[in-house]
Amino acid sequence: MSATPLPRTEGTGDQAEEALSLDRRDEWAALGAHRERLGGTRLRDLFDADPARADRLTLDVGGLHADYSKNLVTDETLRLLAELAGATRVAALRDAMLRGDHINVTEDRAVLHTALRAPRSAVIEADGRDVVPEVHAVLDRMAEFADRVRSRRWLGHTGLPVRRVVNIGIGGSDLGPAMAYEALRPYSDRDLEFRFVSNVDGADLHESLRDADPATTLFVVSSKTFTTVETITNATAARRWLVEGLGTEEAVSRHFAAVSTNTEAVERFGIDTDHMFGFWDWVGGRYSYDSAIGLSLMVAIGPERFREMLAGFHLMDTHFATAPVERNLPFLLGLLGIWYGGFWDAQSHAVLPYSHHMSRFSAYLQQLDMESNGKSVQRDGRPVGWATGPVVWGTPGTNGQHAYFQLLHQGTRFVPADLLGFAEPAPDLPEALVPQHDLLMANMFAQGQALAFGRTAAEVAGEGVPAGLVPHRTFPGDRPTTTILAERLSPSVLGQLVALYEHKVFVQGAVWNINSFDQWGVQLGKVLAERVEPALTSGKEVEGLDASTAGLVARYRTLRGR
Ligand SMILES: O=P(O)(O)OC[C@H]1O[C@H](O)[C@H](O)[C@@H](O)[C@@H]1O
């Protein structure tokens, strides 16, 4: 990497403050001492001692009701965590982000995904230019395009309307739109089909095209850089499939749209820039699905619903920007994670939605959280001396109950979890299936209770369980959860949830003093893959392969008969 000194972030405080390592701060030490004092405090005791706890440790923001009372915290813990946030100047960094400072110091960029959902009347400057008009100009063009596809006025090369939309992208250009499409499927045009192709494994594209008709298929090639190997490889194959199917290169224009920041590369690929939708380098890939990267989603749910979703994001942005730390939900969730990672040795964090439509949510959060906070050097390059981002994982809760919840309840690992649920079932659910919703939600509430309070040996024995089985049937409890309950999984609520997690990740990165907005850790593997590939295909000796990798390459070649 270059030896150029990193640009300093403006306005985040004096240098001496910033240079102080997190683990040398008094506020960190105070939390450590507090943790010692808490010792084996039980959630049962905390609830027994404080009848108002369940009322007090809840927060309503927009359409979200968050109950964080089942966390291993006291009022004192929350106070100390808020002090830590104060000492680490999280709010100052937040304000620097919101006003467009280059807080992404290693790439010298602003971080302004909040501008993507700002109302038309807002003024937000990046490098001296108000970006809000550009954001809305792109949204308007997207809306026009989406409306044409949805109203069947967008015709393919042979004059037929689109039936299948295939989004080709990976990472932030796939996970967001794919997750949100699943989440908002009940709001989508059911006569249009959507596929999301990301894997360079040709099977992914094949499965999305094997029953498709080129005459009615529209590809949306989504890539911030438009250089990502997987995406360009799949888009090239898709283009070949289309041209072979329709017999002419001329068909490409009516069947390909692009979303990117790289106009030149889009042109070079041969996509008409009239069908290109842009965004900006101040939008990180994993923070981009509310930009033009959401084009496929907008085609699915329509511009109006998409705007409702943006309004949900904006609601949470406003809350994050203005609510005091102790009543600020992204701050609270972020600080709880700091608490568990720093003082309870939590290695992972589970996000368990009790909703079929949220099946891709944890996968989406994996990139958001782990690519942002999976770092081990501080903003100025010094190593960290504390745990940073956790392993984030999860699947819909009911399915998890029959798979890995055993470990959550009785294993030796400590796994804090978020339980997400919705009071109303999916809006398009047939009447006959609606009663199942109560069963679904009963499970969510029951799991939170079982994880928190467990079942003591005395209680188990009292139920007449044979003595030899008592230890096996005892549940220790004190497994913390935060429950987030909303009325329904609407576009607005989805926007609120995503913005909540975006800002939670921000808070954690700020306290840990890492740059949540670069991703150098994904580079090395990409570079090595480029070196290894010729060895697989041409058999040329590749220099610099270690003995194990060289052996695997040789075995691969033998297996492929090369
Ligand atoms: O949108 P693209 O430029 O194609 O990038 C797609 C993805 O690939 C990269 O490897 C990054 O790690 C991700 O942050 C990014 O979302």
Side-chain angles (χ1 to χ4, degrees):
M1 248 171 281
S2 92
T4 328
L6 295 177
R8 274 191 51 74
T9 308
E10 301 148 43
T12 54
D14 67 73
Q15 238 151 348
E17 262 301 299
E18 285 177 14
L20 189 59
S21 287
L22 177 63
D23 55 356
R24 299 188 53 188
R25 290 184 183 278
D26 293 345
E27 295 79 6
W28 189 259
L31 277 160
H34 171 70
R35 170 73 185 90
E36 298 252 305
R37 279 197 305 280
L38 274 186
T41 303
R42 316 281 323 259
L43 278 170
R44 283 176 181 245
D45 300 334
L46 293 175
F47 273 86
D48 286 348
D50 178 7
R53 180 181 173 92
D55 257 352
R56 208 176 54 257
L57 302 191
T58 59
L59 189 56
D60 289 276
V61 180
L64 308 183
H65 173 77
D67 179 334
Y68 54 101
S69 63
K70 293 197 194 77
N71 281 285
L72 290 159
V73 294
T74 63
D75 291 345
E76 172 78 348
T77 322
L78 295 170
R79 191 181 63 73
L80 292 172
L81 286 167
E83 279 180 12
L84 181 69
T88 49
R89 305 180 56 79
V90 180
L93 191 66
R94 171 199 64 194
D95 296 344
M97 170 175 78
L98 297 176
R99 68 169 176 259
D101 288 3
H102 284 204
I103 66 161
N104 177 355
V105 286
T106 58
E107 296 178 310
D108 192 14
R109 284 181 187 166
V111 176
L112 270 180
H113 44 274
T114 47
L116 297 171
R117 52 264 191 160
R120 278 182 207 274
S121 55
V123 176
I124 301 172
E125 289 189 355
D127 304 313
R129 211 167 84 220
D130 181 10
V131 298
V132 178
E134 297 172 48
V135 165
H136 281 275
V138 174
L139 281 172
D140 291 344
R141 283 188 59 231
M142 288 166 66
E144 199 207 325
F145 179 81
D147 277 337
R148 283 172 70 189
V149 176
R150 288 167 61 79
S151 63
R152 316 302 191 252
R153 283 181 292 121
W154 177 278
L155 302 179
H157 180 69
T158 66
L160 292 174
V162 172
R163 273 195 62 82
R164 180 169 299 188
V165 177
V166 180
N167 190 88
I168 299 179
I170 197 164
S173 300
D174 166 70
L175 288 162
M179 175 279 288
Y181 169 68
E182 275 310 316
L184 301 177
R185 214 183 242 247
Y187 298 89
S188 76
D189 182 334
R190 296 292 199 167
D191 293 327
L192 289 174
E193 300 163 342
F194 291 84
R195 300 286 188 277
F196 294 84
V197 174
S198 56
N199 200 325
V200 77
D201 183 342
D204 197 357
L205 187 65
H206 174 62
E207 290 297 337
S208 297
L209 295 184
R210 49 182 286 281
D211 57 348
D213 176 357
T216 56
T217 299
L218 173 70
F219 294 98
V220 177
V221 184
S222 296
S223 173
K224 180 177 170 180
T225 55
F226 228 76
T227 57
T228 305
V229 172
E230 291 86 342
T231 299
I232 301 306
T233 306
N234 276 325
T236 306
R239 191 193 149 116
R240 203 167 49 232
W241 174 85
L242 184 93
V243 171
E244 272 167 20
L246 297 181
T248 170
E249 283 279 337
E250 274 169 39
V252 171
S253 162
R254 304 299 306 165
H255 292 266
F256 273 81
V259 181
S260 186
T261 58
N262 187 346
T263 312
E264 249 173 54
V266 169
E267 273 175 340
R268 222 176 306 127
F269 184 85
I271 297 179
D272 195 335
T273 45
D274 280 354
H275 317 150
M276 174 186 165
F277 301 86
F279 61 114
W280 307 271
D281 72 353
W282 41 262
V283 182
R286 53 193 175 274
Y287 296 86
S288 70
Y289 99 73
D290 47 339
S291 71
I293 290 291
L295 184 65
S296 302
L297 173 68
M298 192 194 267
V299 172
I301 65 173
E304 203 178 317
R305 298 293 195 190
F306 195 88
R307 287 184 198 279
E308 284 171 28
M309 183 185 78
L310 295 183
F313 272 95
H314 182 65
L315 183 152
M316 187 57 70
D317 293 344
T318 306
H319 167 76
F320 177 53
T322 56
V325 171
E326 315 76 53
R327 305 301 291 164
N328 191 311
L329 195 51
F331 267 88
L332 282 169
L333 296 194
L335 291 169
L336 286 168
I338 304 265
W339 173 233
Y340 293 130
F343 303 95
W344 293 78
D345 201 25
Q347 305 291 314
S348 81
H349 182 86
V351 179
L352 309 165
Y354 278 73
S355 159
H356 176 68
H357 286 298
M358 289 289 268
S359 60
R360 300 296 309 276
F361 193 64
S362 308
Y364 169 75
L365 289 184
Q366 285 182 324
Q367 187 198 13
L368 176 66
D369 200 320
M370 293 163 77
E371 200 170 70
S372 295
N373 285 344
K375 312 280 164 70
S376 50
V377 291
Q378 300 183 61
R379 295 165 66 78
D380 59 11
R382 288 175 299 158
V384 295
W386 45 90
T388 60
V391 175
V392 174
W393 61 281
T395 54
T398 30
N399 301 356
Q401 283 171 216
H402 297 273
Y404 48 78
F405 269 49
Q406 165 66 40
L407 181 148
L408 298 187
H409 284 290
Q410 290 187 318
T412 55
R413 312 271 169 191
F414 178 76
V415 186
D418 296 344
L419 307 175
L420 313 181
F422 306 95
E424 294 287 341
D428 63 342
L429 213 56
E431 215 33 60
L433 295 176
V434 168
Q436 294 185 202
H437 193 68
D438 294 328
L439 186 55
L440 171 72
M441 294 305 288
N443 272 281
M444 181 178 91
F445 298 129
Q447 290 296 330
Q449 184 178 6
L451 287 163
F453 305 111
R455 210 149 150 254
T456 64
E459 284 166 349
V460 176
E463 285 165 10
V465 170
L469 276 183
V470 167
H472 297 279
R473 299 192 52 176
T474 298
F475 290 69
D478 295 317
R479 319 254 154 155
T481 56
T482 300
T483 304
I484 298 179
L485 181 62
E487 189 181 346
R488 61 170 60 83
L489 179 52
S490 63
S492 167
V493 160
L494 181 68
Q496 293 171 41
L497 277 172
V498 172
L500 169 62
Y501 281 96
E502 285 178 350
H503 299 321
K504 169 199 168 173
V505 165
F506 176 91
V507 167
Q508 298 190 329
V511 171
W512 290 324
N513 195 32
I514 54 180
N515 179 7
S516 302
F517 301 103
D518 60 12
Q519 55 285 319
W520 301 105
V522 302
Q523 294 303 322
L524 178 60
K526 285 187 197 172
V527 173
L528 293 182
E530 273 173 32
R531 277 183 32 204
V532 170
E533 203 205 343
L536 304 186
T537 49
S538 75
K540 263 210 319 261
E541 276 297 308
V542 177
E543 279 176 33
L545 288 190
D546 64 273
S548 162
T549 310
L552 290 167
V553 165
R555 175 59 64 102
Y556 176 86
R557 287 182 45 80
T558 309
L559 291 171
R560 295 295 306 268
R562 292 176 184 157

